Each structure stands twice: as C-alpha cells, then as structure tokens.
C-alpha cells in the first residue's frame, strides 16, 4: 500500500473524492432536522444548486415516513464518511498515499465489533431478563398457592388451638381436683404410716433393751467360758508335751525297727531275685520241653499221614504186595469170613 500513485491517477482520485465530498455536503443540507420534524436547506450553498433542489424535493416527499433513529444513523454515517474523505484528500494532496483511510477503516471495524458484542450482550441480558420474569411469574403463582394453603392451615390450626384450649382447661380442672384428692389421700396414708412407725419404734426400743441385756449376759458367760477354756488349754498343753515325749520315744524305736526291717527286706529281696531266676530258668526249660514234644507230635502225625498216603497210593495203583491177580479160593473164602466177622 506504500506504492506511489501517478499524477494523473492521483488527480482523478482527488476529483472523484471531491465530488463525493460535495454530494455529502448537499446531503448534509437536505437532511431533515430530527428534533423539529421538518427539512432545512442551506440557502447559502450555491454549488450544485439543481442537484440540491432535486434531493431536497425527494427528501421532502419521503422524509415524513423515515424514523428519527434511522435519520440519526444516516447523519452519523455521513459525517464519518465526510471526515474520512476530507482526511484522505489531504493525505493524497500531500503524500499521495491513503494510510489514513486504512487506519480509519480498522478503527471503525473494531468499534463496530465492540458495538456488536455490546448488542449481543444486551440481547442475552434481555433474554435472561425475560426468562427471569417468567420464572418470577411462576414463583409468584406458587407463592400465591402456598399462601392460600398457609391461610387454610392457619385457620385449621386456629380451630385446633381453640379445641386444645378447651381440652386443656378441662384437663387442668381434672388435674387440680385429682391432685387435691391425691394430697388428701397421701396425708391420710402418711398419718397412718407415722403411727405405724411410732409403734415400730417402740418395738425396736424394746428389742434393743432386750439385746443389751442379752449382750451383758453373753459377755459374762463368754468370760467364764474363756477362763474354763484357758484352764483346759493349760491341761492340754501339759498333755501335749507329755504325748510329744512319748511319741518321740516311739519314733526312735520305730526308726530302729525300720533299720532292722530294712535289712531283712533287702535279704528277702535278694532271696526273691534268686528264686525268681530259678523259676524263670525252670519255666524256660519246661517251655523248651513242651516245644520239643509238640515238634515230635507234629513229626509223628506227619509221618503217619505220609505213610497213610503212600499205602493208599500203593493200593490204588496195585503196587508191591497189592498187585492185582488170581488168588487162591481158600484165601477168598478166608476173606469172606473176615468180612462177615
């Protein structure tokens, strides 16, 4: 953008901008006064008179239906554009650049952005306000209903309070009468108990006197008994000493007897061990003899069994003297006789 314009281009641009500036000046003169509600035309302006007259007539025909806010915005925009064009013309005449236009446009964009943000926040606030207003209406309705319910509850509680007061008065009367009756009964009972306690006190005093006499008599008896027991204790101590001497002598005698008895016992134990060894040896010898007899009996029985088996085998197989063959009739006759026998 720092590029320099040629002289012709700069003159053309200056001419165009001057024409725009003149048109904005004409527009300023023909703009209606928002406070008075009618059009005011500058009679001193001579340049472009025909254009001004036509614009004034057109604005007079249409200005009655334009809102004042729109006219104010148009006036602000016209002033802004006129100021920008004036500054741009000065910069073009002096330096031939238009940095002022760019910076002014950037500033205006930022201003419009701020205005847009403000408008958005304002709209959001309005929506929030409407929402809160609706909520407030709902809350008011709820509070009205709640107040009605509270009024009904208060009326109900007042009725209950009246009933409770009446019931309380009756209960108080009943309690006062019953309390008086109980006090009277307690007084009667207390008087009777006092009489009983007085009689009991007299009996206890009599018993206490009897106990005191008994105690004195018991103490005298115990003292006499103690003196008799002391005499018996002396006698028993003398007898104890005498018995201890006798028992000590008996103990010494028993110790001597025990020594002699122990020697006899050792001798008897020695004889017992010798006899036990003899008995054990005899038992071992008898056991060996029994085992030998059992062994001989078993061998004898086994031999008989073997002999019987062998004879049976010879008879079944006809071996030796038991071979089969013709035998003499005499022998058969003898066998027959033997069988008959």
């Amino acid at each position: 953008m720092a590029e320099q314009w040629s002289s012709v281009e700069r003159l053309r641009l200056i001419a165009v901008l001057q024409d725009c500036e003149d048109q904005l000046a004409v527009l300023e003169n023909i703009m209606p006064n928002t406070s008075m509600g009618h059009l005011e035309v500058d009679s001193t302006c001579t340049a472009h008179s025909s254009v001004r007259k036509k614009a004034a007539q057109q604005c007079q025909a249409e200005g009655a239906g334009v809102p004042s806010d729109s006219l104010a915005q148009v006036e602000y925009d016209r002033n802004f554009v006129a100021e920008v064009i004036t500054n741009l013309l000065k910069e073009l005449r002096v330096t031939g650049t238009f940095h002022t236009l760019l910076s002014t446009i950037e500033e205006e964009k930022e201003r419009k952005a701020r205005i847009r943000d403000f408008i958005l926040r304002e709209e959001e606030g309005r929506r929030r306000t409407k929402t809160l207003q609706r909520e407030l209406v709902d809350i008011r309705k709820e509070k009205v209903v709640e107040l009605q319910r509270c009024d009904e509850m208060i009326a109900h509680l007042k009725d209950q309070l009246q009933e409770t007061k009446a019931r309380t008065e009756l209960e108080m009367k009943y309690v006062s009468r019953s309390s008086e009756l109980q006090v009277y009964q307690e007084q009667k009972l207390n008087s009777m108990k006092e009489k009983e306690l007085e009689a009991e006190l007299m009996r206890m005093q009599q018993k206490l006197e009897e106990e005191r006499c008994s105690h004195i008599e018991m103490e005298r008896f115990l003292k006499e008994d103690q003196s008799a027991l002391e005499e018996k204790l002396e006698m028993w101590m003398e007898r104890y000493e005498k018995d201890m001497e006798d028992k000590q002598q008996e103990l010494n005698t028993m110790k001597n007897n025990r020594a002699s008895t122990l020697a006899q016992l050792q001798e008897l134990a020695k004889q017992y061990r010798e006899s036990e060894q003899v008995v054990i040896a005899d038992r071992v010898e008898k056991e060996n003899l029994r085992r030998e007899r059992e062994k001989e009996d078993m061998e004898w029985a086994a031999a008989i069994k073997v002999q019987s088996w062998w004879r049976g085998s010879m008879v079944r197989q006809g071996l030796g003297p038991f071979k089969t063959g013709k035998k003499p009739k005499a022998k058969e006759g003898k066998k027959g006789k033997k069988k008959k026998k």
Side-chain angles (χ1 to χ4, degrees), residues 257-274:
N257 294 333
R258 180 174 176 275
S260 61
T261 304
L262 182 61
Q264 294 177 1
L265 182 61
Q266 290 177 354
E267 184 66 24
L268 290 173
K270 182 179 179 181
Q271 293 178 1
Y272 173 77
R273 285 194 295 272
E274 292 175 354

mmCIF file of all heavy atoms in Angstrom, residues 257-274:
data_model
loop_
_atom_site.group_PDB
_atom_site.id
_atom_site.type_symbol
_atom_site.label_atom_id
_atom_site.label_comp_id
_atom_site.label_asym_id
_atom_site.label_seq_id
_atom_site.Cartn_x
_atom_site.Cartn_y
_atom_site.Cartn_z
ATOM 1 N N ASN A 257 13.561 -100.066 114.571
ATOM 2 C CA ASN A 257 12.884 -101.210 113.958
ATOM 3 C C ASN A 257 12.907 -101.126 112.433
ATOM 4 O O ASN A 257 13.019 -102.132 111.727
ATOM 5 C CB ASN A 257 11.444 -101.293 114.454
ATOM 6 C CG ASN A 257 11.367 -101.597 115.939
ATOM 7 O OD1 ASN A 257 12.280 -102.232 116.506
ATOM 8 N ND2 ASN A 257 10.300 -101.149 116.592
ATOM 9 N N ARG A 258 12.767 -99.905 111.947
ATOM 10 C CA ARG A 258 12.760 -99.718 110.484
ATOM 11 C C ARG A 258 14.110 -100.123 109.895
ATOM 12 O O ARG A 258 14.176 -100.740 108.828
ATOM 13 C CB ARG A 258 12.465 -98.253 110.155
ATOM 14 C CG ARG A 258 12.425 -97.937 108.664
ATOM 15 C CD ARG A 258 11.984 -96.501 108.441
ATOM 16 N NE ARG A 258 12.018 -96.156 107.041
ATOM 17 C CZ ARG A 258 13.079 -95.742 106.385
ATOM 18 N NH1 ARG A 258 14.236 -95.603 107.042
ATOM 19 N NH2 ARG A 258 13.009 -95.452 105.099
ATOM 20 N N ALA A 259 15.210 -99.779 110.601
ATOM 21 C CA ALA A 259 16.544 -100.143 110.089
ATOM 22 C C ALA A 259 16.692 -101.662 110.025
ATOM 23 O O ALA A 259 17.140 -102.218 109.006
ATOM 24 C CB ALA A 259 17.625 -99.540 110.981
ATOM 25 N N SER A 260 16.272 -102.337 111.110
ATOM 26 C CA SER A 260 16.365 -103.808 111.107
ATOM 27 C C SER A 260 15.434 -104.405 110.062
ATOM 28 O O SER A 260 15.788 -105.339 109.325
ATOM 29 C CB SER A 260 16.033 -104.355 112.501
ATOM 30 O OG SER A 260 14.704 -103.998 112.867
ATOM 31 N N THR A 261 14.218 -103.836 109.965
ATOM 32 C CA THR A 261 13.261 -104.326 108.976
ATOM 33 C C THR A 261 13.795 -104.108 107.552
ATOM 34 O O THR A 261 13.593 -104.945 106.658
ATOM 35 C CB THR A 261 11.918 -103.608 109.138
ATOM 36 O OG1 THR A 261 11.462 -103.781 110.479
ATOM 37 C CG2 THR A 261 10.880 -104.156 108.176
ATOM 38 N N LEU A 262 14.479 -102.979 107.329
ATOM 39 C CA LEU A 262 15.037 -102.707 106.006
ATOM 40 C C LEU A 262 16.102 -103.724 105.652
ATOM 41 O O LEU A 262 16.169 -104.191 104.492
ATOM 42 C CB LEU A 262 15.624 -101.291 106.003
ATOM 43 C CG LEU A 262 16.207 -100.805 104.672
ATOM 44 C CD1 LEU A 262 15.123 -100.794 103.596
ATOM 45 C CD2 LEU A 262 16.806 -99.408 104.829
ATOM 46 N N ALA A 263 16.930 -104.099 106.640
ATOM 47 C CA ALA A 263 17.955 -105.111 106.365
ATOM 48 C C ALA A 263 17.284 -106.434 106.015
ATOM 49 O O ALA A 263 17.684 -107.129 105.055
ATOM 50 C CB ALA A 263 18.864 -105.268 107.587
ATOM 51 N N GLN A 264 16.255 -106.836 106.787
ATOM 52 C CA GLN A 264 15.523 -108.066 106.464
ATOM 53 C C GLN A 264 14.891 -107.991 105.082
ATOM 54 O O GLN A 264 14.878 -108.963 104.329
ATOM 55 C CB GLN A 264 14.448 -108.310 107.535
ATOM 56 C CG GLN A 264 14.999 -108.607 108.921
ATOM 57 C CD GLN A 264 13.907 -108.769 109.961
ATOM 58 O OE1 GLN A 264 12.722 -108.669 109.624
ATOM 59 N NE2 GLN A 264 14.300 -109.010 111.224
ATOM 60 N N LEU A 265 14.347 -106.804 104.781
ATOM 61 C CA LEU A 265 13.704 -106.634 103.477
ATOM 62 C C LEU A 265 14.719 -106.795 102.346
ATOM 63 O O LEU A 265 14.428 -107.422 101.315
ATOM 64 C CB LEU A 265 13.047 -105.251 103.406
ATOM 65 C CG LEU A 265 12.278 -104.932 102.116
ATOM 66 C CD1 LEU A 265 11.114 -105.922 101.929
ATOM 67 C CD2 LEU A 265 11.736 -103.512 102.148
ATOM 68 N N GLN A 266 15.896 -106.240 102.519
ATOM 69 C CA GLN A 266 16.931 -106.401 101.494
ATOM 70 C C GLN A 266 17.312 -107.858 101.333
ATOM 71 O O GLN A 266 17.501 -108.342 100.213
ATOM 72 C CB GLN A 266 18.153 -105.554 101.877
ATOM 73 C CG GLN A 266 17.912 -104.058 101.769
ATOM 74 C CD GLN A 266 19.121 -103.252 102.227
ATOM 75 O OE1 GLN A 266 20.109 -103.837 102.738
ATOM 76 N NE2 GLN A 266 19.032 -101.920 102.067
ATOM 77 N N GLU A 267 17.431 -108.578 102.476
ATOM 78 C CA GLU A 267 17.755 -110.005 102.381
ATOM 79 C C GLU A 267 16.660 -110.769 101.661
ATOM 80 O O GLU A 267 16.926 -111.629 100.798
ATOM 81 C CB GLU A 267 17.942 -110.562 103.811
ATOM 82 C CG GLU A 267 18.368 -112.013 103.864
ATOM 83 C CD GLU A 267 19.746 -112.243 103.294
ATOM 84 O OE1 GLU A 267 20.556 -111.280 103.272
ATOM 85 O OE2 GLU A 267 20.026 -113.370 102.819
ATOM 86 N N LEU A 268 15.395 -110.437 102.020
ATOM 87 C CA LEU A 268 14.270 -111.095 101.337
ATOM 88 C C LEU A 268 14.241 -110.749 99.852
ATOM 89 O O LEU A 268 13.922 -111.601 99.005
ATOM 90 C CB LEU A 268 12.948 -110.664 102.005
ATOM 91 C CG LEU A 268 12.710 -111.213 103.420
ATOM 92 C CD1 LEU A 268 11.456 -110.578 104.015
ATOM 93 C CD2 LEU A 268 12.555 -112.743 103.387
ATOM 94 N N ALA A 269 14.600 -109.506 99.515
ATOM 95 C CA ALA A 269 14.632 -109.121 98.100
ATOM 96 C C ALA A 269 15.695 -109.911 97.355
ATOM 97 O O ALA A 269 15.478 -110.347 96.218
ATOM 98 C CB ALA A 269 14.908 -107.611 97.988
ATOM 99 N N LYS A 270 16.843 -110.126 98.028
ATOM 100 C CA LYS A 270 17.901 -110.911 97.395
ATOM 101 C C LYS A 270 17.437 -112.338 97.170
ATOM 102 O O LYS A 270 17.596 -112.910 96.078
ATOM 103 C CB LYS A 270 19.139 -110.879 98.290
ATOM 104 C CG LYS A 270 20.321 -111.628 97.712
ATOM 105 C CD LYS A 270 21.519 -111.513 98.657
ATOM 106 C CE LYS A 270 22.701 -112.287 98.073
ATOM 107 N NZ LYS A 270 23.894 -112.217 98.985
ATOM 108 N N GLN A 271 16.790 -112.936 98.190
ATOM 109 C CA GLN A 271 16.260 -114.292 98.033
ATOM 110 C C GLN A 271 15.177 -114.340 96.950
ATOM 111 O O GLN A 271 15.112 -115.308 96.184
ATOM 112 C CB GLN A 271 15.684 -114.763 99.386
ATOM 113 C CG GLN A 271 16.722 -114.952 100.465
ATOM 114 C CD GLN A 271 16.110 -115.369 101.804
ATOM 115 O OE1 GLN A 271 14.888 -115.537 101.899
ATOM 116 N NE2 GLN A 271 16.966 -115.526 102.841
ATOM 117 N N TYR A 272 14.381 -113.295 96.898
ATOM 118 C CA TYR A 272 13.317 -113.257 95.865
ATOM 119 C C TYR A 272 13.918 -113.238 94.466
ATOM 120 O O TYR A 272 13.446 -113.938 93.565
ATOM 121 C CB TYR A 272 12.426 -112.021 96.091
ATOM 122 C CG TYR A 272 11.419 -111.816 94.995
ATOM 123 C CD1 TYR A 272 10.268 -112.596 94.918
ATOM 124 C CD2 TYR A 272 11.633 -110.844 94.013
ATOM 125 C CE1 TYR A 272 9.360 -112.405 93.906
ATOM 126 C CE2 TYR A 272 10.731 -110.657 93.001
ATOM 127 C CZ TYR A 272 9.581 -111.433 92.950
ATOM 128 O OH TYR A 272 8.690 -111.254 91.936
ATOM 129 N N ARG A 273 14.990 -112.452 94.296
ATOM 130 C CA ARG A 273 15.611 -112.396 92.978
ATOM 131 C C ARG A 273 16.204 -113.740 92.602
ATOM 132 O O ARG A 273 16.077 -114.191 91.458
ATOM 133 C CB ARG A 273 16.692 -111.303 92.969
ATOM 134 C CG ARG A 273 16.112 -109.889 92.927
ATOM 135 C CD ARG A 273 17.205 -108.866 92.572
ATOM 136 N NE ARG A 273 18.229 -108.796 93.618
ATOM 137 C CZ ARG A 273 18.153 -108.011 94.675
ATOM 138 N NH1 ARG A 273 17.099 -107.225 94.842
ATOM 139 N NH2 ARG A 273 19.121 -107.993 95.561
ATOM 140 N N GLU A 274 16.846 -114.400 93.602
ATOM 141 C CA GLU A 274 17.415 -115.715 93.303
ATOM 142 C C GLU A 274 16.317 -116.710 92.958
ATOM 143 O O GLU A 274 16.425 -117.467 91.989
ATOM 144 C CB GLU A 274 18.225 -116.195 94.515
ATOM 145 C CG GLU A 274 19.477 -115.369 94.764
ATOM 146 C CD GLU A 274 20.195 -115.797 96.036
ATOM 147 O OE1 GLU A 274 19.638 -116.660 96.754
ATOM 148 O OE2 GLU A 274 21.290 -115.252 96.313
#
